[in-house]
Structures are given as C-alpha cells and as structure tokens.
Amino acid sequence: MTTVETESGVLAGDERMLIDGELQLTSSGATFEVIHPASEEVAGQATDGTVDDMGRAVAAARRAFDETDWSRDLEFRHHCLTQLHEALERNKERLRRILITEVGCPVTVSGSQIESPIEEVKHWADHGKNFEYLVDTGVHPTQLGPARRKIHYEPVGVVGAITPWNVPFYLNIAETVPALMAGNTVVLKPAQLTPWSGSEYGRIVAEETDIPAGVFNVVVSNANEVGAALSADPRVDMITFTGSTATGRAILAAGAPTVKKTLLELGGKSAHIVLDDADFNACLPLAAMMACVMSGQSCILPSRILLPRSRYEEGLEILKTMMEGFPVGDPWTPGNMQGPQISKTQRQKVLGLIRSGIDSGARLVTGGGVPENLPVGYYTQPTLLADVDPDSQVAQDEIFGPVLTVTPYDTDDDAVAIANNTIYGLSGEVSSGDVDRAFAIATRMRTGNVTINGKSHFGITSPFGGTKQSGLGYRNGEEGYKEYLEAKTIGMPDTAAP
Ligand code: ADP
C-alpha cells in the first residue's frame, strides 16, 4: 500500500496501436469509447483494430523472429529492456493516471499496478541476462555407446499475449517482458475496456527504446474476433493469456489445430480456511480488506471464507465491522481504497450474483447494493453473505466484486472438502495459530498457491499458476521464464568438451 503524490484527473491514452514499428490508426478510422468508471463519462477514444490489422502484426512478428538477430542477441535484448525499464519509470505518473482513468483503481493502492510491474521489467532483464541457456547434463549410456547431452534453451517463436482489464498494465508487462527477454517476438492484444494501458506501452516502446520494428506489436480492438484471430493464427507459436476460464477454453481449442504452446491463467474461486485456533482479529480484517481493494476484481482473491462453527458469529462480526467501515469512493482521492467496478455490466453481474446467493438461502450481513452516497460511478457496497451453501451459484461462480461468502464447517476435513468443491484451483489461504497445522491443510488444498497467515504466495521470484480449470503453466520464478523457452537436447560424442 502506498500513498502517491500525483497530479490527479482523467487522462486519455494514445489512440494508436503499434504494428511493425509504426504507431498507427486502423485504416477505416473506426474508434471506440473508453469510459471512466468513477464518473461514467467518456474519457476518450481508442482505435478499433481489425482482424486484418492483427494479421499484419503477426506477419511483422514472424518476420522479426525469423529474419533478424533478436532471438540470438542476448546483449541487445538486455540493452533494450533496460531502456524500457527506464522509459517506463519516466512515464510512471502518466501510466498511473491512465490506469485510474480506465480501471478506476484507487490512487492509494495503485503501486502494485504501476511500480511493481515497472520493477519487474528490470528483474526480467537481469534474470534473462544471467540465465544459463546451455546446460551440460553429462554423459549418458545409450545402445550405441556413451553420449554427452547438452540442453540448449531457445525461444519459442512468435508469442501472442492476450490480457484482461482488471490489472491491465501489470499483466501487459507480466505476459510480454519475460517473453521478449527470452528472445521471442510478441503481439499484445489488450482488453477492450483497457486499451490505453496497452497502446501507451506500445508508444513507449516505439518512441523511447531501440526494440526493432516487428519485435513488439500492440493491436487494440473492441472485437473479440481480433483476439480469436491471434489465438488461431498458424504463424503464432505460443499464446499467453490471462482471463476467464470460458475464454481460456476457446483459446485452447483455437490453438489445437496447430498444437500451440498455451500458457493460461484463468478464473479462481479461492477459499480461506480459518482454523479454530486462528487470531481472528489479525486475519479477518485483512481478508475483508483484500476483498475490497481492487473492488474484488482479482482472480487470486480468497473470496470464500470458511469459519469454524464454534467461532462462527464472532468471525462474522469482525468481517462485518471491517466491511462497513471500508473507505469506498472516488479513486483520485487519497485514502479511498475501493473504487468502482470497471463497468456497468460488471456491476450488474456482481449484483445479480449477490441476489442469487440470497435467493438460495444466504443471509445478507451487510452491503448488497449500490452505496447511497455514490449514485454516479459503478460503485458496489462491500458485501458479506453468511450461511452460504457451498453448492450454490454464488459459492461456485467467480464474482469479481467486493463480496465475501462465508460458510461454517465442523471439522478440518470438512473445511478441506468445501475448499476443494470447485472447478477452480488458483490460490487459497489458511489462518491458524499453528503454522505446521496450517501447512498440513495447505498441502491438502487442490490449488496452485496458498497463503498462510497473510504471508502472500505471490511474487516475481516464485512460480504462480492454477490447477484444475484455473490454468496451465506458470508465471514468475524460474518456471515462469522457462515457459517462454523450448528445451532442446543435443546429443553428441562423449569426447566433446562439457
Ligand atoms: P471478460 O469476460 O471478463 O471480459 P475475457 O476472459 O473474455 O474476460 O477477456 C480477456 C481477454 O480475452 C480480452 O483481451 C478479450 O478481448 C479476449 N478475448 C475474448 N474472447 C476471446 C476469444 N474468443 N479468443 C481470444 N481472445 C478473446
């Protein structure tokens, strides 16, 4: 959490996209509106790229991969990404204002969406520079006598990166920078609601770095078909995607005919198991805060709280108090920690799921609607639903709103069973006075990552990925870098030097 001194106010981003080194508008001149979710006003326009524009971007990325030295010149890539890091630093406050304009993210909590990804560019530049691309694995017996084997790590090729709107600048960086540093060329397709976090990134690459034409492209569009075209294009070797499970399935199917490598980070419905020996006054206020700070628009949010029946009402009271006092309001006002939902449609979806929970027997403890003092902007009250049936829709569907569902349990085994009763497996949390007990529970949760007592699993140096229908592959850590590389084993006479 940071308090940021910034010039405040809506700021429109660059309307243009980046294709083959040229900042450009789509040939028809078509545009689409970007709405500021805190005022419901049009903040500006973005160019509405077409399937044809996407085809040109893929062709440029293909040519840059096949015909330039980008994939082989590690020193040059390190130089370019170091430049990119410095350029993003210079543009930091502009990027922050664009983020707040597009997403409605509160300025007070914008550090994780601006400072952190900018730091990650430097991390990947240095990680990639020091990575061992050639590894001698020694001499192996074969039917034809001993063979020395070496692994040569090589870039995958053309990477298509498709990003969502909830943390757009962060994910644009997270999906593209390790790919570029590993020697791939990239086509980025940002989400419709947040085109400028992508187009500004393209502008900065074009105007302030030596990244060659075609190596990095950004295609902005209001049409899902443009992302679909990227994920089906036979010239693309890999798709990296963050978004809904439904779209992830479509991307996987579109890539099947050409057997594309696919890295998917999809939906979640993570559980927070609060054990009966937990410090409720430490873990539950934090749980309520995490549900609200991004207006609940976070895939890793532990949105299902499981409380021991023996301390159920005590836990509910703490959550209720925190949610009722939570600072919701104008994202430009320092101190506010929850802004609006990103769009009217998203808020309707959140309110609809809350309604479905109540209809299926849940008890509305607080919230459930639009804050009375915020009639303009897509704001939602922090909402607490108790007695939630683990099989009901509100306990099964990803809400993406400032909503916690609470379900009581009797034994630790019951808690694990309820936590695992989902198609998702992205993250989870355990709180307990006994870390060993919490760890044992964490290992039984069928999920990609777990936080114990508020100590986050998430960070650039640790692999992050979903199990079950929450994803394929990893971001971050050594595993995350290797996703953008192929491991080519080369066998040779054992007399070769190691
Ligand atoms: P949401 O439904 O919350 O907008 P999505 O997962 O559909 O989230 O969107 C994430 C990203 O996927 C966006 O950039 C969007 O344009 C893109 N997208 C949507 N549909 C498809 C598709 N069929 N193929 C490829 N990309 C898509």
Side-chain angles (χ1 to χ4, degrees), residues 12 19 33 39 52 75 99 134 154 163 185 237 242 256 260 263 267 285 313 350 406 413 439 444 475:
I19 300 177
E33 292 176 343
S39 67
D52 181 55
E75 283 300 320
L99 173 85
L134 184 62
E154 300 175 2
T163 52
T185 60
D237 299 292
T242 304
K260 269 190 221 329
L263 172 49
E313 292 301 332
V350 172
V406 187
D413 287 350
F439 187 86
R444 296 173 62 194
R475 296 200 193 290

Side-chain angles (χ1 to χ4, degrees), residues 40-52:
E40 308 185 23
E41 286 170 356
V42 177
Q45 308 287 325
T47 194
D48 195 3
T50 61
V51 168
D52 181 55

Side-chain angles (χ1 to χ4, degrees), residues 60-209:
R62 186 75 262 165
R63 182 190 46 72
F65 186 79
D66 293 339
E67 298 174 20
T68 76
D69 276 348
W70 177 258
S71 66
R72 288 179 294 278
D73 195 340
L74 180 63
E75 283 300 320
F76 181 58
R77 297 201 302 271
H78 184 257
H79 157 78
C80 288
L81 291 187
T82 304
Q83 270 184 328
L84 176 63
H85 173 247
E86 289 161 4
L88 293 171
E89 271 291 338
R90 282 194 295 278
N91 284 273
K92 188 163 75 178
E93 294 313 320
R94 180 176 167 79
L95 289 164
R96 189 190 317 278
R97 283 177 64 189
I98 288 168
L99 173 85
I100 299 169
T101 300
E102 288 188 319
V103 181
C105 164
V107 64
T108 299
V109 296
S110 63
S112 63
Q113 297 203 40
I114 296 291
E115 271 84 354
S116 301
I118 293 175
E119 269 313 295
E120 292 191 1
V121 177
K122 182 158 169 36
H123 167 89
W124 287 122
D126 294 342
H127 185 93
K129 191 174 180 199
N130 297 324
F131 184 83
E132 254 188 284
Y133 294 90
L134 184 62
V135 177
D136 177 59
T137 70
V139 174
H140 302 251
T142 81
Q143 296 292 335
L144 299 176
R148 177 174 294 284
R149 291 188 190 138
K150 295 183 182 179
I151 304 172
H152 191 224
Y153 289 97
E154 300 175 2
V156 181
V158 174
V159 174
I162 302 175
T163 52
W165 46 258
N166 61 332
V167 276
F169 178 68
Y170 169 75
L171 283 165
N172 289 342
I173 294 294
E175 290 198 9
T176 61
V177 169
L180 288 168
M181 191 59 208
N184 302 278
T185 60
V186 170
V187 179
L188 168 66
K189 211 299 286 168
Q192 288 89 322
L193 292 170
T194 52
W196 293 330
S197 292
S199 60
E200 281 291 321
Y201 177 15
R203 179 190 65 74
I204 291 165
V205 165
E207 292 180 346
E208 300 187 39
T209 77

Side-chain angles (χ1 to χ4, degrees), residues 183-267:
N184 302 278
T185 60
V186 170
V187 179
L188 168 66
K189 211 299 286 168
Q192 288 89 322
L193 292 170
T194 52
W196 293 330
S197 292
S199 60
E200 281 291 321
Y201 177 15
R203 179 190 65 74
I204 291 165
V205 165
E207 292 180 346
E208 300 187 39
T209 77
D210 296 331
I211 294 177
V215 165
F216 179 69
N217 308 270
V218 183
V219 180
V220 171
S221 172
N222 196 27
N224 283 342
E225 296 79 66
V226 173
L230 178 63
S231 60
D233 196 309
R235 297 168 293 181
V236 174
D237 299 292
M238 173 175 177
I239 293 288
T240 173
F241 170 75
T242 304
S244 64
T245 293
T247 302
R249 290 188 196 107
I251 286 172
L252 206 48
T258 50
V259 196
K260 269 190 221 329
K261 190 166 180 181
T262 311
L263 172 49
L264 301 175
E265 200 257 276
L266 308 176

